Amino acid sequence: MPNHEVWPGRPYPLGATYDGAGTNFAVFSEVATKVELCLFDEHGKETRVALPESTAFCWHGYLPRIGPGQRYGYRVHGPWKPEEGHRTHQSKFLLDPYARAIDGDVKWSEAVFSHQFSDPNALNDTDSAPFMPRSVVINPYFDWHNDRRPHTAWHDTIIYEAHVKGMTRLMQEVPETLRGTYAGLGHPSSIRYLKKLGITAIELMPVHQFVNDDHLQQKKLSNYWGYNTIGFFAPHYAYSSSGHGGQQVQEFKMMVREMHAAGIEVILDVVYNHTAEGNHLGPVLSFKGLDNASYYRLEKDARYYTDYTGTGNSFNVRNAHVLQLIMDSLRYWATDMRVDGFRFDLAPVLARELHEMDKLAAFFDLIHQDPVCRDCKLIAEPWDVGPGGYQVGNFPPLWTEWNGKFRDAVRDYWRGENTAMPQFASRLTGSSDLYQSTGRRPYASINLVTAHDGFTLRDLVSYNDKHNEANGEENRDGESHNRSWNCGAEGPSEDGHINTLRGRQQRNFIATLMLSQGVPMLVSGDELGRTQQGNNNAYCQDNALSWLDWAKSDHDLLAFTRNAIALRKAHPTFRRRRFFEGRPIWGAEADIKWRTPGGDEMSEQDWHNGFAKSFQVFLNGHAIASTGGHGERIIDDDFTLLFNAHHEPLEFTIAHEKAATVELDSAHPKGKNGHPKVEPRGKIQVQARSMVVLRHDR
């Protein structure tokens, strides 16, 4: 075995830091009595080097001549006392929590567990290294050329939620060797598509290194979504086309650089609430073996884990070192990898200091004080599975939120639910009831109709019930209450009337999404009519069920979506920075007016008529309260939006003294049927279950 020279090194930064001459290794463990650095040569032979120093529980050492591409990990000597919350043993090879790259998957064996399958309380001291992936030392140097962040204002942002692999796996314009990778996503064909669609930010489903679960592999499935993180600094190796010895880092950076050059921001869906190590019966891959009691929330009986996530464990954000890891990870991705923002999965977990969700928790304090993170786009998924976990509207300033109430109200309105109209109107205008009292603006609301989790848009109008049999859980998984409507038949139909209605409903959802105040989030493939055949929980489907099938695109729906996005981008009245006030502004009449189909102002009774499903709203382009970047007044055209969720056509009377042009009509496949005019105070018929957007002449 080679005899590696080792110097004391430095306790910070944590991880493996290459400086051009050698590498400094540092790792945290409060319970360790000894930490060994494990180095692997090109044949997989292991050499162990004891780290010579421990400073404030950070074990460290510097090895000259160790550089990029070196595979490594750790063995920690310490107590194996599950009843006290300690699961440390030198037989377990551990990934570096700060590894910038990880190569390989877990090869499932009893060896990667610290307990014996026959007795959960008995130590399993089998060497796990042969079955474990490896941490990799990376080259931190990269030519960013003249990279500049787009810094798109929130009110101008249009988000596209996408999966790195699923986006391009079947995209013929991308070279086959690049499909489904970071390079495929950064390919000119992918970027050209996003630009033509009108997207300003791509929100990537998890790209942190994640683990494919054993129980899924046994069923010949895999963790496709990636909400099973084991490396919070490492881009997932399987999405790399150029290699796994650190090349995945360079490829990810190239993707970000190309996105920025096109004016597109990159937002990461991050999972800091739990890890892939599961509960007390889960594997020992990294954190458990380093310092289980520090990294995880444990019950009074310390053998067991507190679970606010539904995955077996919850990260212990009350611990200073865990908070440090999360913040170091965020800063790394924002500075070294240059991403523009983060969407936090199950964000309330990060705010649970005791049991209740505390919006003044240490995590939020750190974010607000951090000069790097506070300048990023911050998006919360504002719910978890713990008590009081639904926290829509309760996050502090700087934060935006996935607005689940927008999703529910819009779905209910367009499927014809009675009494849905008042909630729909509130969501249409930015959800001031949720965000105004906390000093936030309409763009605090990330508006969504669908997300990766649930039905696709096409399935939302094609299925009343979930059909998740392919997941191998007898259709027990996934949400049962979807607020969906199949338009008269379950699944694919040959009935022309049903298919026409389904197309109209998809257009209603897209138009509502794009013309509501707040920030629209479109799910990748919804604009193409993508289906998952009724599967509303395709987390384990790494196959054609989840990938975008570009060959089966609905070109009319795509054209409609482009038109709706273009209308939003062209008119500031649809992306206001302040909430409507319902009063005259700049000497003009009121900024918003609600009217019945007959043109009369809505009364309190009109809002609460259970049978009422139709209304119109006037948006005054001459009464926009906010000003431009140089303090100038913003003036736009006046618009009237006509909504008819009734099952029959309705005639609307337009109470405006100027003629209007139909800019968008969801009754037409591409949204436009020429540019028909409506006379001053004229009438227009709005088809059943459709909406029309009128732009008034100046």
Side-chain angles (χ1 to χ4, degrees), residues 503-504 507-508 511 515 560 563-564 567 642 644 661-674 676 684-694:
R504 186 176 298 176
R507 295 190 292 273
N508 287 333
L515 301 181
F560 181 90
N563 287 334
L567 185 61
L642 315 176
N644 181 23
T661 302
V662 175
E663 290 292 326
L664 203 65
D665 185 347
S666 67
H668 296 283
K670 295 182 180 179
K672 293 187 177 181
N673 185 22
I684 181 175
Q685 188 175 69
V686 179
Q687 296 302 313
R689 295 193 171 95
S690 70
M691 62 174 289
V692 170
V693 179
L694 299 178

Side-chain angles (χ1 to χ4, degrees), residues 241-267:
S241 68
S242 53
H244 307 141
Q247 296 92 337
Q248 59 265 54
V249 178
Q250 304 289 315
E251 187 172 324
F252 184 91
K253 289 179 177 179
M254 285 189 283
M255 181 270 293
V256 172
R257 187 180 66 192
E258 296 306 309
M259 288 286 180
H260 283 180
I264 299 172
E265 294 182 309
V266 178
I267 298 172

Side-chain angles (χ1 to χ4, degrees), residues 509-647:
F509 284 125
I510 287 174
T512 303
L513 178 66
M514 291 304 162
L515 301 181
S516 293
Q517 305 300 320
V519 179
M521 187 188 81
L522 181 68
V523 176
S524 177
D526 275 357
E527 78 282 10
L528 304 173
R530 184 176 75 89
T531 178
Q532 290 176 172
Q533 299 172 21
N535 191 321
N536 74 351
N537 190 34
Y539 76 102
C540 56
Q541 300 295 331
D542 185 4
N543 50 51
L545 187 71
S546 293
W547 305 336
L548 268 66
D549 189 346
W550 297 90
K552 295 182 180 178
S553 299
D554 183 334
H555 296 290
D556 285 345
L557 184 60
L558 175 58
F560 181 90
T561 306
R562 286 173 175 164
N563 287 334
I565 292 175
L567 185 61
R568 177 184 182 85
K569 295 178 81 171
H571 294 282
T573 198
F574 298 118
R575 39 192 174 83
R576 298 176 184 231
R577 303 203 310 273
R578 296 175 184 264
F579 290 106
F580 290 102
E581 299 182 24
R583 63 175 180 83
I585 296 174
W586 302 110
E589 59 181 314
D591 54 1
I592 188 169
K593 290 184 178 181
W594 304 93
R595 298 186 181 278
T596 67
D600 300 320
E601 289 197 24
M602 295 276 285
S603 67
E604 190 68 20
Q605 182 179 350
D606 290 328
W607 282 114
H608 296 289
N609 279 335
F611 59 84
K613 297 181 176 65
S614 307
F615 68 97
Q616 55 181 301
V617 55
F618 169 70
L619 306 179
N620 189 343
H622 294 73
I624 298 176
S626 53
T627 57
H630 299 285
E632 73 278 11
R633 180 182 172 187
I634 298 173
I635 297 177
D636 195 13
D637 297 318
D638 295 340
F639 283 86
T640 299
L641 279 59
L642 315 176
F643 294 92
N644 181 23
H646 188 53
H647 65 274

Side-chain angles (χ1 to χ4, degrees), residues 354-370:
L354 294 173
H355 295 286
E356 298 78 13
M357 189 276 190
D358 180 1
K359 68 180 179 181
L360 298 178
F363 174 69
F364 295 116
D365 292 340
L366 286 173
I367 288 282
H368 285 201
Q369 295 169 20
D370 189 271

Side-chain angles (χ1 to χ4, degrees), residues 6-9 25 35 49-55 58-63:
V6 57
W7 303 343
F25 294 90
V35 174
V49 180
L51 293 180
E53 297 286 335
S54 174
T55 305
C58 292
W59 297 76
H60 53 95
Y62 180 91
L63 278 70

